[in-house]
Amino acid sequence: MVRFVGKGILLIMLVGCSQVETKKLDEEAVKSLTAVAEKNRFYSDHLFDEVPNYLYDFSTNREEELPEDLLQTLRITNTTTPSLTKENMIEDVEVLHLTLKYMYALYEYMGGDEAFETARDEMIQTIEELPDETTIHAHQMIAMLKEHYHFIVDDHFLINHEPIVESEHRFYFSEQVRFRQLENGEYSVVGDEQVRLKEINGDHNIDSYLKPSLHDDGNLVFILGLFSEDVTSEDREWEFTFEDETTETITLDLMPNKLPRHQIGDPFALTEKEGVPWLQIRSMFAYEQAPYDYYDIINTANELKEQPYFVLDVRGNQGGSMILVDKWLEAFFDQSISWSSQSIHLFSNTTSTFVEDTIELYQSQAGLSSQTFEDDFTHLYRVEAFGEITDPQWEIDSTTMQTVQDNETHIFILVDNDTASAAEHLVSKLKLANRTTIIGVNTSGSIISGNSLMWRLPNTQIELFTPTFFNYHPDLLQKETVGIQPDLWVTAPGVESRVLAFIEEHTAGTSGLIYAK
């Protein structure tokens, strides 16, 4: 049975209407996936009894907010010819400092006055030391900003549409030899159980060198893998020794971590692939000309919740509405699901200055649906609740950890290195539910901030996106620019065929031992 939504998006009515009943996963397969997932869950409960010390205390501030007339010159609608004289660049640095203090929700967390004042003063000194006859270009000014403000590790903080700190965490792997873990904990070569692994790089503690993955035939295996940054060619040369003392040397290669453009497909679709229910969401935003809206996306939760399993494909999804994420999760699990965290918003005269322009940018250039703002799928309008803001104000909403332990639908979640922001929130919250498996590579690592507002420096006309929202979650802070690691490491282009093979292999009642704790 099918129905059409809007202008023709095809949704297959899966619940109770499939011509062929979807088979359940073998219990042995479910146990194996659970054993893998349990080793990759990192959440804990936290108490937030007092006002956090990572928020800037404006009562002790020595510097006044920029006046209204100057703030108006920073709006992206007020364009002028860029001027990069030494005097104008120094003025821009001073304006940058005060704007960030009253706008950037993570100002204190990223170092506060000590870090930002030092960056300001040292950059001004760098500019003053330039020869008077030096011709400075915008890209040089941007490079100086990134050098002096390198301590801002925030993937939503953008200078000319680029973050200051790029993620350098990559996964290096080899599938030259695959391994299976036996009941006694030892590892044997796939296809020859008699060949046992003894050590890797002279180390008998081999668990840290092996990462869970999926074989082409649909079985769980272990591959040689290293997730790190600053990996040298020497680091990638590994030697492993078998119990019979024979050795092999392999070179780890960089795992393809992004979905190829030609495989991206529709931005939103609920279909079947080889009989497997498949929900594909490439953005957590709805767009004005799209044949679907936010409620169509939310309704897929109701259509899938009675299925024994389905695939949620959020590869290439760079984020959008976090409100959509929470609404979809609540519709699917019939309850809220949340971390132990604090959602922190900064409201000031500075932030209110740039809201209108940012929304106009999202609608006119990005094409976001007006529903985003009219149906409350964004927090950008929250500033209106405060009316005229005379002093900066913090709004803090603390949530307790709420997990799901009675989920009966297994969700296979496909991710890649472009899975970011609100999509990462969806993925990380799904880790709070049982019967969920994350498959692919590490996500983008754009987690701890949001609600960025766009503005530009008055003289150099350099554009900035500055977050006014701080997602304080102690367990996720270290994931920024690193990403969430999957339960099963599989190349972004190859994950689709392998997860389908796994489901086929383990819904036919033919699976054997696939993973031992």
Side-chain angles (χ1 to χ4, degrees), residues 68-133:
E68 181 64 26
D69 59 341
L70 182 51
L71 284 173
Q72 291 298 319
T73 68
L74 310 185
R75 294 177 60 178
I76 57 175
T77 52
N78 292 330
T79 58
T80 62
T81 302
S83 175
L84 281 85
T85 66
K86 290 173 62 173
E87 180 181 357
N88 285 341
M89 288 192 296
I90 290 173
E91 180 184 350
D92 276 9
V93 173
E94 293 171 338
V95 167
L96 172 68
H97 175 72
L98 287 176
T99 306
L100 295 183
K101 174 174 281 193
Y102 283 88
M103 181 182 184
Y104 185 34
L106 286 78
Y107 179 91
E108 184 68 23
Y109 176 75
M110 291 295 173
D113 283 340
E114 181 178 357
F116 283 87
E117 289 176 4
T118 299
R120 176 198 61 192
D121 296 344
E122 291 183 352
M123 183 158 179
I124 289 175
Q125 182 179 350
T126 298
I127 296 171
E128 289 176 337
E129 292 174 352
L130 293 172
D132 292 335
E133 66 277 8

Side-chain angles (χ1 to χ4, degrees), residues 311-380:
V311 172
L312 172 59
D313 186 354
V314 289
R315 291 173 296 169
N317 188 322
Q318 297 186 353
S321 170
M322 288 192 290
I323 296 175
L324 170 63
V325 168
D326 289 335
K327 288 180 178 294
W328 190 93
L329 290 169
E330 187 167 356
F332 186 84
F333 293 113
D334 295 318
Q335 67 162 80
S336 297
I337 184 169
S338 62
W339 314 296
S340 177
S341 64
Q342 289 183 314
S343 297
I344 303 167
H345 297 264
L346 173 59
F347 299 102
S348 68
N349 189 45
T350 300
T351 63
S352 63
T353 301
F354 307 121
V355 170
E356 181 181 345
D357 287 346
T358 301
I359 291 175
E360 173 63 24
L361 175 77
Y362 283 145
Q363 289 188 291
S364 63
Q365 294 188 26
L368 294 195
S369 169
S370 57
Q371 182 190 14
T372 305
F373 312 100
E374 295 171 358
D375 287 9
D376 194 28
F377 280 94
T378 177
H379 287 301
L380 282 179

